[in-house]
Amino acid sequence: MTLTLNLPPELEQYLTKQAKQQGLSVETYTLQILQKYILPKVKQSKLVNALQSWIDEGDADEQQETGEYLIHALKDI
């Protein structure tokens, strides 16, 4: 997909400077920023939806057991 943006001059200058410092084109640098900040949100949203579906449709005892396991596992991260 091609996307054309009209950026404020200070944002354009910032992106250009940062891209140059990293030896990247402005397009590549900007794409990296979008991937870094947007993709985790998409994955998080999918996970939330899956968990909500599991809560809405699952067996209560199984949910309790799995929920306790997840809480224990996430504490170790």
Side-chain angles (χ1 to χ4, degrees), residues 11-24:
L11 182 55
E12 181 180 1
Q13 290 170 359
Y14 174 82
L15 290 172
T16 301
K17 179 182 174 185
Q18 295 300 314
K20 185 176 180 180
Q21 287 179 351
Q22 295 189 27
L24 301 170

Side-chain angles (χ1 to χ4, degrees), residues 1-8 11-12 15 26 30-31 34:
M1 174 172 104
T2 300
L3 179 65
T4 303
L5 300 172
N6 293 314
L7 301 174
L11 182 55
E12 181 180 1
L15 290 172
V26 174
T30 304
L31 181 58
L34 290 172

Side-chain angles (χ1 to χ4, degrees), residues 1-2 4-5 7 11 17 23 27 40 42 46-47 49 51-52 55 57 64-65 67 69-70 75:
M1 174 172 104
T2 300
T4 303
L5 300 172
L7 301 174
L11 182 55
K17 179 182 174 185
E27 293 82 4
V42 170
K46 288 180 180 179
L47 178 58
N49 290 339
L51 288 172
Q52 187 62 52
I55 289 168
E57 299 171 9
Q64 180 68 32
E65 182 180 328
Y69 170 80
L70 288 172
K75 285 182 182 178

Side-chain angles (χ1 to χ4, degrees), residues 28-41:
T28 300
Y29 178 72
T30 304
L31 181 58
Q32 286 181 357
I33 291 172
L34 290 172
Q35 289 173 331
K36 181 179 179 180
Y37 291 101
I38 292 175
L39 290 180
K41 296 289 184 188

